[in-house]
PDB file of all heavy atoms in Angstrom:
ATOM      1  N   GLU A1238      71.361 121.094 180.496  1.00 79.00           N
ATOM      2  CA  GLU A1238      70.471 120.239 179.719  1.00 79.00           C
ATOM      3  C   GLU A1238      69.828 121.009 178.568  1.00 79.00           C
ATOM      4  O   GLU A1238      69.800 120.544 177.430  1.00 79.00           O
ATOM      5  CB  GLU A1238      69.410 119.700 180.680  1.00 79.00           C
ATOM      6  CG  GLU A1238      68.631 118.533 180.149  1.00 79.00           C
ATOM      7  CD  GLU A1238      67.632 118.051 181.183  1.00 79.00           C
ATOM      8  OE1 GLU A1238      68.025 117.880 182.352  1.00 79.00           O
ATOM      9  OE2 GLU A1238      66.465 117.875 180.825  1.00 79.00           O
ATOM     10  N   TRP A1239      69.374 122.213 178.885  1.00 82.00           N
ATOM     11  CA  TRP A1239      68.723 123.021 177.855  1.00 82.00           C
ATOM     12  C   TRP A1239      69.705 123.470 176.788  1.00 82.00           C
ATOM     13  O   TRP A1239      69.389 123.500 175.596  1.00 82.00           O
ATOM     14  CB  TRP A1239      68.048 124.243 178.493  1.00 82.00           C
ATOM     15  CG  TRP A1239      66.708 123.890 179.090  1.00 82.00           C
ATOM     16  CD1 TRP A1239      66.406 123.770 180.411  1.00 82.00           C
ATOM     17  CD2 TRP A1239      65.511 123.576 178.370  1.00 82.00           C
ATOM     18  NE1 TRP A1239      65.099 123.395 180.562  1.00 82.00           N
ATOM     19  CE2 TRP A1239      64.518 123.274 179.335  1.00 82.00           C
ATOM     20  CE3 TRP A1239      65.186 123.516 177.011  1.00 82.00           C
ATOM     21  CZ2 TRP A1239      63.224 122.919 178.973  1.00 82.00           C
ATOM     22  CZ3 TRP A1239      63.890 123.162 176.665  1.00 82.00           C
ATOM     23  CH2 TRP A1239      62.930 122.871 177.649  1.00 82.00           C
ATOM     24  N   LEU A1242      70.323 120.597 174.585  1.00 83.00           N
ATOM     25  CA  LEU A1242      69.111 120.355 173.796  1.00 83.00           C
ATOM     26  C   LEU A1242      69.043 121.309 172.611  1.00 83.00           C
ATOM     27  O   LEU A1242      68.788 120.908 171.476  1.00 83.00           O
ATOM     28  CB  LEU A1242      67.872 120.521 174.688  1.00 83.00           C
ATOM     29  CG  LEU A1242      66.546 120.202 173.999  1.00 83.00           C
ATOM     30  CD1 LEU A1242      66.409 118.705 173.820  1.00 83.00           C
ATOM     31  CD2 LEU A1242      65.380 120.730 174.810  1.00 83.00           C
ATOM     32  N   LEU A1245      72.454 120.685 170.134  1.00 84.00           N
ATOM     33  CA  LEU A1245      72.433 119.404 169.425  1.00 84.00           C
ATOM     34  C   LEU A1245      71.135 119.230 168.647  1.00 84.00           C
ATOM     35  O   LEU A1245      71.136 118.790 167.500  1.00 84.00           O
ATOM     36  CB  LEU A1245      72.624 118.244 170.412  1.00 84.00           C
ATOM     37  CG  LEU A1245      73.969 118.218 171.119  1.00 84.00           C
ATOM     38  CD1 LEU A1245      74.046 117.039 172.075  1.00 84.00           C
ATOM     39  CD2 LEU A1245      75.091 118.138 170.104  1.00 84.00           C
ATOM     40  N   GLY A1246      70.026 119.595 169.295  1.00 85.00           N
ATOM     41  CA  GLY A1246      68.724 119.481 168.628  1.00 85.00           C
ATOM     42  C   GLY A1246      68.679 120.339 167.377  1.00 85.00           C
ATOM     43  O   GLY A1246      68.167 119.926 166.343  1.00 85.00           O
ATOM     44  N   ALA A1249      70.764 118.684 164.662  1.00 83.00           N
ATOM     45  CA  ALA A1249      70.060 117.507 164.149  1.00 83.00           C
ATOM     46  C   ALA A1249      68.901 117.934 163.260  1.00 83.00           C
ATOM     47  O   ALA A1249      68.660 117.365 162.192  1.00 83.00           O
ATOM     48  CB  ALA A1249      69.564 116.648 165.302  1.00 83.00           C
ATOM     49  N   PHE A1252      70.106 118.831 159.838  1.00 79.00           N
ATOM     50  CA  PHE A1252      70.368 117.665 158.982  1.00 79.00           C
ATOM     51  C   PHE A1252      69.065 117.027 158.509  1.00 79.00           C
ATOM     52  O   PHE A1252      68.943 116.586 157.378  1.00 79.00           O
ATOM     53  CB  PHE A1252      71.217 116.628 159.725  1.00 79.00           C
ATOM     54  CG  PHE A1252      72.644 117.058 159.905  1.00 79.00           C
ATOM     55  CD1 PHE A1252      73.222 117.088 161.165  1.00 79.00           C
ATOM     56  CD2 PHE A1252      73.411 117.437 158.811  1.00 79.00           C
ATOM     57  CE1 PHE A1252      74.546 117.487 161.331  1.00 79.00           C
ATOM     58  CE2 PHE A1252      74.730 117.830 158.966  1.00 79.00           C
ATOM     59  CZ  PHE A1252      75.295 117.861 160.233  1.00 79.00           C
ATOM     60  N   PHE A1285      72.388  92.622 149.525  1.00 95.00           N
ATOM     61  CA  PHE A1285      73.457  92.329 148.564  1.00 95.00           C
ATOM     62  C   PHE A1285      74.699  93.078 149.024  1.00 95.00           C
ATOM     63  O   PHE A1285      74.700  94.298 149.047  1.00 95.00           O
ATOM     64  CB  PHE A1285      72.992  92.797 147.181  1.00 95.00           C
ATOM     65  CG  PHE A1285      73.957  92.544 146.053  1.00 95.00           C
ATOM     66  CD1 PHE A1285      74.276  91.261 145.663  1.00 95.00           C
ATOM     67  CD2 PHE A1285      74.503  93.609 145.351  1.00 95.00           C
ATOM     68  CE1 PHE A1285      75.141  91.029 144.603  1.00 95.00           C
ATOM     69  CE2 PHE A1285      75.369  93.388 144.285  1.00 95.00           C
ATOM     70  CZ  PHE A1285      75.684  92.092 143.916  1.00 95.00           C
ATOM     71  N   TYR A1286      75.726  92.350 149.449  1.00 94.00           N
ATOM     72  CA  TYR A1286      76.939  92.962 149.970  1.00 94.00           C
ATOM     73  C   TYR A1286      76.648  94.029 151.027  1.00 94.00           C
ATOM     74  O   TYR A1286      77.127  95.163 150.940  1.00 94.00           O
ATOM     75  CB  TYR A1286      77.793  93.525 148.839  1.00 94.00           C
ATOM     76  CG  TYR A1286      78.479  92.413 148.091  1.00 94.00           C
ATOM     77  CD1 TYR A1286      78.065  92.033 146.828  1.00 94.00           C
ATOM     78  CD2 TYR A1286      79.490  91.686 148.700  1.00 94.00           C
ATOM     79  CE1 TYR A1286      78.669  90.966 146.173  1.00 94.00           C
ATOM     80  CE2 TYR A1286      80.087  90.626 148.055  1.00 94.00           C
ATOM     81  CZ  TYR A1286      79.678  90.275 146.791  1.00 94.00           C
ATOM     82  OH  TYR A1286      80.274  89.219 146.162  1.00 94.00           O
ATOM     83  N   LYS A1288      74.196  95.783 151.490  1.00 92.00           N
ATOM     84  CA  LYS A1288      73.266  96.836 151.080  1.00 92.00           C
ATOM     85  C   LYS A1288      71.873  96.242 151.107  1.00 92.00           C
ATOM     86  O   LYS A1288      71.644  95.168 150.562  1.00 92.00           O
ATOM     87  CB  LYS A1288      73.593  97.310 149.664  1.00 92.00           C
ATOM     88  CG  LYS A1288      75.019  97.756 149.481  1.00 92.00           C
ATOM     89  CD  LYS A1288      75.313  98.000 148.022  1.00 92.00           C
ATOM     90  CE  LYS A1288      76.756  98.462 147.841  1.00 92.00           C
ATOM     91  NZ  LYS A1288      77.053  98.818 146.463  1.00 92.00           N
ATOM     92  N   GLY A1310      67.967 103.211 156.009  1.00 82.00           N
ATOM     93  CA  GLY A1310      68.714 102.703 157.157  1.00 82.00           C
ATOM     94  C   GLY A1310      68.874 103.785 158.200  1.00 82.00           C
ATOM     95  O   GLY A1310      69.284 104.895 157.877  1.00 82.00           O
ATOM     96  N   ILE A1311      68.513 103.481 159.430  1.00 77.00           N
ATOM     97  CA  ILE A1311      68.665 104.465 160.498  1.00 77.00           C
ATOM     98  C   ILE A1311      70.027 104.301 161.148  1.00 77.00           C
ATOM     99  O   ILE A1311      70.790 105.246 161.274  1.00 77.00           O
ATOM    100  CB  ILE A1311      67.532 104.328 161.534  1.00 77.00           C
ATOM    101  CG1 ILE A1311      66.215 104.756 160.881  1.00 77.00           C
ATOM    102  CG2 ILE A1311      67.817 105.197 162.766  1.00 77.00           C
ATOM    103  CD1 ILE A1311      65.004 104.576 161.734  1.00 77.00           C
ATOM    104  N   SER A1313      72.262 101.845 159.976  1.00 75.00           N
ATOM    105  CA  SER A1313      73.197 101.443 158.936  1.00 75.00           C
ATOM    106  C   SER A1313      73.162 102.503 157.839  1.00 75.00           C
ATOM    107  O   SER A1313      72.323 103.387 157.858  1.00 75.00           O
ATOM    108  CB  SER A1313      72.778 100.102 158.362  1.00 75.00           C
ATOM    109  OG  SER A1313      71.507 100.214 157.773  1.00 75.00           O
ATOM    110  N   TRP A1314      74.090 102.377 156.881  1.00 79.00           N
ATOM    111  CA  TRP A1314      74.114 103.333 155.790  1.00 79.00           C
ATOM    112  C   TRP A1314      73.241 102.864 154.652  1.00 79.00           C
ATOM    113  O   TRP A1314      73.394 101.747 154.194  1.00 79.00           O
ATOM    114  CB  TRP A1314      75.546 103.563 155.311  1.00 79.00           C
ATOM    115  CG  TRP A1314      76.193 104.507 156.228  1.00 79.00           C
ATOM    116  CD1 TRP A1314      76.946 104.185 157.313  1.00 79.00           C
ATOM    117  CD2 TRP A1314      76.078 105.916 156.210  1.00 79.00           C
ATOM    118  NE1 TRP A1314      77.310 105.320 157.963  1.00 79.00           N
ATOM    119  CE2 TRP A1314      76.799 106.393 157.317  1.00 79.00           C
ATOM    120  CE3 TRP A1314      75.433 106.824 155.368  1.00 79.00           C
ATOM    121  CZ2 TRP A1314      76.893 107.753 157.595  1.00 79.00           C
ATOM    122  CZ3 TRP A1314      75.534 108.171 155.652  1.00 79.00           C
ATOM    123  CH2 TRP A1314      76.250 108.621 156.751  1.00 79.00           C
ATOM    124  N   PRO A1318      72.569  99.003 144.961  1.00 94.00           N
ATOM    125  CA  PRO A1318      73.581  98.310 144.158  1.00 94.00           C
ATOM    126  C   PRO A1318      74.204  99.290 143.163  1.00 94.00           C
ATOM    127  O   PRO A1318      73.563 100.248 142.740  1.00 94.00           O
ATOM    128  CB  PRO A1318      72.777  97.228 143.435  1.00 94.00           C
ATOM    129  CG  PRO A1318      71.364  97.646 143.513  1.00 94.00           C
ATOM    130  CD  PRO A1318      71.228  98.457 144.760  1.00 94.00           C
ATOM    131  N   ASN A1319      75.477  99.060 142.813  1.00 91.00           N
ATOM    132  CA  ASN A1319      76.162  99.966 141.877  1.00 91.00           C
ATOM    133  C   ASN A1319      75.580  99.855 140.478  1.00 91.00           C
ATOM    134  O   ASN A1319      75.475 100.842 139.758  1.00 91.00           O
ATOM    135  CB  ASN A1319      77.649  99.647 141.843  1.00 91.00           C
ATOM    136  CG  ASN A1319      78.293  99.870 143.199  1.00 91.00           C
ATOM    137  OD1 ASN A1319      77.713 100.539 144.059  1.00 91.00           O
ATOM    138  ND2 ASN A1319      79.455  99.310 143.406  1.00 91.00           N
ATOM    139  N   LEU A1342      71.228 110.882 154.777  1.00 79.00           N
ATOM    140  CA  LEU A1342      71.636 110.093 155.949  1.00 79.00           C
ATOM    141  C   LEU A1342      70.821 108.821 156.123  1.00 79.00           C
ATOM    142  O   LEU A1342      71.329 107.815 156.583  1.00 79.00           O
ATOM    143  CB  LEU A1342      71.492 110.934 157.221  1.00 79.00           C
ATOM    144  CG  LEU A1342      72.387 112.152 157.318  1.00 79.00           C
ATOM    145  CD1 LEU A1342      72.100 112.881 158.607  1.00 79.00           C
ATOM    146  CD2 LEU A1342      73.832 111.730 157.260  1.00 79.00           C
ATOM    147  N   TYR A1368      80.350  87.281 142.524  1.00 93.00           N
ATOM    148  CA  TYR A1368      81.124  86.420 143.424  1.00 93.00           C
ATOM    149  C   TYR A1368      80.244  85.658 144.412  1.00 93.00           C
ATOM    150  O   TYR A1368      80.520  85.604 145.604  1.00 93.00           O
ATOM    151  CB  TYR A1368      82.172  87.235 144.188  1.00 93.00           C
ATOM    152  CG  TYR A1368      83.066  88.042 143.296  1.00 93.00           C
ATOM    153  CD1 TYR A1368      82.895  89.418 143.191  1.00 93.00           C
ATOM    154  CD2 TYR A1368      84.046  87.428 142.539  1.00 93.00           C
ATOM    155  CE1 TYR A1368      83.708  90.169 142.352  1.00 93.00           C
ATOM    156  CE2 TYR A1368      84.860  88.166 141.699  1.00 93.00           C
ATOM    157  CZ  TYR A1368      84.689  89.537 141.613  1.00 93.00           C
ATOM    158  OH  TYR A1368      85.492  90.269 140.792  1.00 93.00           O
TER     159      TYR A1368
ATOM    160  N   HIS B 166      62.704 115.927 182.062  1.00 86.00           N
ATOM    161  CA  HIS B 166      64.121 115.582 181.932  1.00 86.00           C
ATOM    162  C   HIS B 166      64.300 114.441 180.948  1.00 86.00           C
ATOM    163  O   HIS B 166      65.153 114.482 180.074  1.00 86.00           O
ATOM    164  CB  HIS B 166      64.683 115.153 183.296  1.00 86.00           C
ATOM    165  CG  HIS B 166      65.076 116.303 184.149  1.00 86.00           C
ATOM    166  ND1 HIS B 166      66.074 117.183 183.805  1.00 86.00           N
ATOM    167  CD2 HIS B 166      64.602 116.720 185.353  1.00 86.00           C
ATOM    168  CE1 HIS B 166      66.193 118.095 184.762  1.00 86.00           C
ATOM    169  NE2 HIS B 166      65.303 117.849 185.706  1.00 86.00           N
ATOM    170  N   ARG B 169      63.746 115.493 177.376  1.00 86.00           N
ATOM    171  CA  ARG B 169      64.853 116.331 176.890  1.00 86.00           C
ATOM    172  C   ARG B 169      66.080 115.489 176.591  1.00 86.00           C
ATOM    173  O   ARG B 169      66.726 115.645 175.550  1.00 86.00           O
ATOM    174  CB  ARG B 169      65.182 117.428 177.900  1.00 86.00           C
ATOM    175  CG  ARG B 169      64.161 118.565 177.871  1.00 86.00           C
ATOM    176  CD  ARG B 169      64.659 119.791 178.592  1.00 86.00           C
ATOM    177  NE  ARG B 169      64.632 119.656 180.037  1.00 86.00           N
ATOM    178  CZ  ARG B 169      63.543 119.834 180.803  1.00 86.00           C
ATOM    179  NH1 ARG B 169      62.387 120.132 180.243  1.00 86.00           N
ATOM    180  NH2 ARG B 169      63.606 119.701 182.091  1.00 86.00           N
ATOM    181  N   TRP B 170      66.412 114.562 177.487  1.00 87.00           N
ATOM    182  CA  TRP B 170      67.596 113.726 177.252  1.00 87.00           C
ATOM    183  C   TRP B 170      67.402 112.805 176.057  1.00 87.00           C
ATOM    184  O   TRP B 170      68.332 112.516 175.325  1.00 87.00           O
ATOM    185  CB  TRP B 170      67.967 112.933 178.512  1.00 87.00           C
ATOM    186  CG  TRP B 170      68.750 113.784 179.457  1.00 87.00           C
ATOM    187  CD1 TRP B 170      68.326 114.318 180.637  1.00 87.00           C
ATOM    188  CD2 TRP B 170      70.093 114.248 179.262  1.00 87.00           C
ATOM    189  NE1 TRP B 170      69.326 115.083 181.196  1.00 87.00           N
ATOM    190  CE2 TRP B 170      70.412 115.065 180.379  1.00 87.00           C
ATOM    191  CE3 TRP B 170      71.046 114.080 178.259  1.00 87.00           C
ATOM    192  CZ2 TRP B 170      71.650 115.690 180.507  1.00 87.00           C
ATOM    193  CZ3 TRP B 170      72.284 114.703 178.414  1.00 87.00           C
ATOM    194  CH2 TRP B 170      72.570 115.498 179.522  1.00 87.00           C
ATOM    195  N   VAL B 172      65.636 113.497 173.384  1.00 86.00           N
ATOM    196  CA  VAL B 172      65.841 114.336 172.190  1.00 86.00           C
ATOM    197  C   VAL B 172      67.331 114.581 171.982  1.00 86.00           C
ATOM    198  O   VAL B 172      67.840 114.519 170.861  1.00 86.00           O
ATOM    199  CB  VAL B 172      65.073 115.678 172.327  1.00 86.00           C
ATOM    200  CG1 VAL B 172      65.450 116.634 171.191  1.00 86.00           C
ATOM    201  CG2 VAL B 172      63.583 115.433 172.346  1.00 86.00           C
ATOM    202  N   ILE B 173      68.075 114.810 173.093  1.00 86.00           N
ATOM    203  CA  ILE B 173      69.520 115.048 172.985  1.00 86.00           C
ATOM    204  C   ILE B 173      70.210 113.821 172.400  1.00 86.00           C
ATOM    205  O   ILE B 173      71.044 113.924 171.495  1.00 86.00           O
ATOM    206  CB  ILE B 173      70.111 115.408 174.369  1.00 86.00           C
ATOM    207  CG1 ILE B 173      69.641 116.817 174.770  1.00 86.00           C
ATOM    208  CG2 ILE B 173      71.643 115.332 174.350  1.00 86.00           C
ATOM    209  CD1 ILE B 173      69.929 117.187 176.200  1.00 86.00           C
ATOM    210  N   SER B 176      69.375 113.415 168.755  1.00 85.00           N
ATOM    211  CA  SER B 176      70.112 114.429 167.998  1.00 85.00           C
ATOM    212  C   SER B 176      71.554 113.998 167.801  1.00 85.00           C
ATOM    213  O   SER B 176      72.127 114.151 166.730  1.00 85.00           O
ATOM    214  CB  SER B 176      70.078 115.768 168.726  1.00 85.00           C
ATOM    215  OG  SER B 176      68.746 116.154 168.943  1.00 85.00           O
ATOM    216  N   VAL B 179      71.903 111.494 165.022  1.00 81.00           N
ATOM    217  CA  VAL B 179      71.831 112.133 163.698  1.00 81.00           C
ATOM    218  C   VAL B 179      73.149 112.827 163.380  1.00 81.00           C
ATOM    219  O   VAL B 179      73.707 112.680 162.286  1.00 81.00           O
ATOM    220  CB  VAL B 179      70.667 113.153 163.656  1.00 81.00           C
ATOM    221  CG1 VAL B 179      70.717 113.968 162.373  1.00 81.00           C
ATOM    222  CG2 VAL B 179      69.339 112.439 163.794  1.00 81.00           C
ATOM    223  N   ILE B 180      73.688 113.560 164.368  1.00 80.00           N
ATOM    224  CA  ILE B 180      74.915 114.325 164.140  1.00 80.00           C
ATOM    225  C   ILE B 180      76.099 113.393 163.891  1.00 80.00           C
ATOM    226  O   ILE B 180      76.876 113.592 162.961  1.00 80.00           O
ATOM    227  CB  ILE B 180      75.195 115.262 165.340  1.00 80.00           C
ATOM    228  CG1 ILE B 180      74.103 116.337 165.378  1.00 80.00           C
ATOM    229  CG2 ILE B 180      76.568 115.890 165.239  1.00 80.00           C
ATOM    230  CD1 ILE B 180      74.009 117.062 166.688  1.00 80.00           C
ATOM    231  N   LYS B 182      76.067 110.420 162.697  1.00 76.00           N
ATOM    232  CA  LYS B 182      75.925 109.804 161.388  1.00 76.00           C
ATOM    233  C   LYS B 182      76.328 110.786 160.282  1.00 76.00           C
ATOM    234  O   LYS B 182      77.014 110.429 159.341  1.00 76.00           O
ATOM    235  CB  LYS B 182      74.472 109.354 161.197  1.00 76.00           C
ATOM    236  CG  LYS B 182      74.342 108.347 160.085  1.00 76.00           C
ATOM    237  CD  LYS B 182      73.029 107.625 160.106  1.00 76.00           C
ATOM    238  CE  LYS B 182      72.998 106.668 158.942  1.00 76.00           C
ATOM    239  NZ  LYS B 182      71.763 105.912 158.860  1.00 76.00           N
ATOM    240  N   ALA B 183      75.907 112.031 160.460  1.00 75.00           N
ATOM    241  CA  ALA B 183      76.229 113.039 159.455  1.00 75.00           C
ATOM    242  C   ALA B 183      77.733 113.297 159.410  1.00 75.00           C
ATOM    243  O   ALA B 183      78.322 113.451 158.350  1.00 75.00           O
ATOM    244  CB  ALA B 183      75.485 114.336 159.758  1.00 75.00           C
ATOM    245  N   GLY B 186      80.672 110.841 157.752  1.00 62.00           N
ATOM    246  CA  GLY B 186      80.821 110.725 156.308  1.00 62.00           C
ATOM    247  C   GLY B 186      79.991 109.590 155.788  1.00 62.00           C
ATOM    248  O   GLY B 186      79.130 109.074 156.476  1.00 62.00           O
ATOM    249  N   GLY B 188      79.784 106.623 155.789  1.00 59.00           N
ATOM    250  CA  GLY B 188      79.933 105.293 156.348  1.00 59.00           C
ATOM    251  C   GLY B 188      81.320 104.738 156.129  1.00 59.00           C
ATOM    252  O   GLY B 188      81.601 103.587 156.433  1.00 59.00           O
ATOM    253  N   ASN B 203      82.318  96.089 150.486  1.00 91.00           N
ATOM    254  CA  ASN B 203      80.880  95.919 150.277  1.00 91.00           C
ATOM    255  C   ASN B 203      80.365  96.915 149.259  1.00 91.00           C
ATOM    256  O   ASN B 203      79.557  96.593 148.397  1.00 91.00           O
ATOM    257  CB  ASN B 203      80.112  96.127 151.592  1.00 91.00           C
ATOM    258  CG  ASN B 203      79.907  94.831 152.336  1.00 91.00           C
ATOM    259  OD1 ASN B 203      79.886  93.757 151.731  1.00 91.00           O
ATOM    260  ND2 ASN B 203      79.747  94.913 153.629  1.00 91.00           N
ATOM    261  N   ASN B 204      80.843  98.143 149.372  1.00 88.00           N
ATOM    262  CA  ASN B 204      80.377  99.167 148.464  1.00 88.00           C
ATOM    263  C   ASN B 204      80.767  98.870 147.016  1.00 88.00           C
ATOM    264  O   ASN B 204      80.011  99.163 146.094  1.00 88.00           O
ATOM    265  CB  ASN B 204      80.919 100.524 148.895  1.00 88.00           C
ATOM    266  CG  ASN B 204      80.227 101.625 148.161  1.00 88.00           C
ATOM    267  OD1 ASN B 204      79.018 101.742 148.228  1.00 88.00           O
ATOM    268  ND2 ASN B 204      80.970 102.389 147.402  1.00 88.00           N
ATOM    269  N   GLU B 206      81.038  95.912 145.958  1.00 93.00           N
ATOM    270  CA  GLU B 206      80.380  94.632 145.681  1.00 93.00           C
ATOM    271  C   GLU B 206      81.376  93.513 145.387  1.00 93.00           C
ATOM    272  O   GLU B 206      81.231  92.761 144.424  1.00 93.00           O
ATOM    273  CB  GLU B 206      79.329  94.808 144.577  1.00 93.00           C
ATOM    274  CG  GLU B 206      78.222  95.747 145.037  1.00 93.00           C
ATOM    275  CD  GLU B 206      77.242  96.174 143.959  1.00 93.00           C
ATOM    276  OE1 GLU B 206      77.337  95.691 142.827  1.00 93.00           O
ATOM    277  OE2 GLU B 206      76.370  97.001 144.276  1.00 93.00           O
ATOM    278  N   VAL B 207      82.385  93.451 146.221  1.00 94.00           N
ATOM    279  CA  VAL B 207      83.288  92.293 146.195  1.00 94.00           C
ATOM    280  C   VAL B 207      83.315  91.705 147.613  1.00 94.00           C
ATOM    281  O   VAL B 207      83.070  92.417 148.584  1.00 94.00           O
ATOM    282  CB  VAL B 207      84.733  92.657 145.741  1.00 94.00           C
ATOM    283  CG1 VAL B 207      84.754  93.126 144.304  1.00 94.00           C
ATOM    284  CG2 VAL B 207      85.350  93.665 146.666  1.00 94.00           C
ATOM    285  N   PRO B 208      83.604  90.394 147.717  1.00 94.00           N
ATOM    286  CA  PRO B 208      83.575  89.766 149.037  1.00 94.00           C
ATOM    287  C   PRO B 208      84.618  90.348 149.987  1.00 94.00           C
ATOM    288  O   PRO B 208      85.678  90.789 149.552  1.00 94.00           O
ATOM    289  CB  PRO B 208      83.886  88.295 148.733  1.00 94.00           C
ATOM    290  CG  PRO B 208      83.604  88.122 147.285  1.00 94.00           C
ATOM    291  CD  PRO B 208      83.871  89.434 146.639  1.00 94.00           C
ATOM    292  N   MET B 234      91.785  87.183 143.622  1.00 94.00           N
ATOM    293  CA  MET B 234      92.029  88.598 143.302  1.00 94.00           C
ATOM    294  C   MET B 234      92.571  89.318 144.535  1.00 94.00           C
ATOM    295  O   MET B 234      92.553  88.792 145.641  1.00 94.00           O
ATOM    296  CB  MET B 234      90.732  89.269 142.836  1.00 94.00           C
ATOM    297  CG  MET B 234      89.601  89.197 143.811  1.00 94.00           C
ATOM    298  SD  MET B 234      88.128  89.957 143.090  1.00 94.00           S
ATOM    299  CE  MET B 234      86.942  89.647 144.385  1.00 94.00           C
TER     300      MET B 234
END
Side-chain angles (χ1 to χ4, degrees):
Chain A
E1238 195 179 312
W1239 279 106
L1242 184 73
L1245 296 180
F1252 288 125
F1285 181 65
Y1286 285 106
K1288 305 171 180 185
I1311 292 175
S1313 62
W1314 280 94
N1319 297 343
L1342 296 179
Y1368 306 105
Chain B
H166 277 297
R169 284 195 285 279
W170 278 107
V172 172
I173 289 169
S176 303
V179 171
I180 293 163
K182 198 165 179 180
N203 268 334
N204 192 58
E206 296 171 4
V207 295
M234 57 183 177

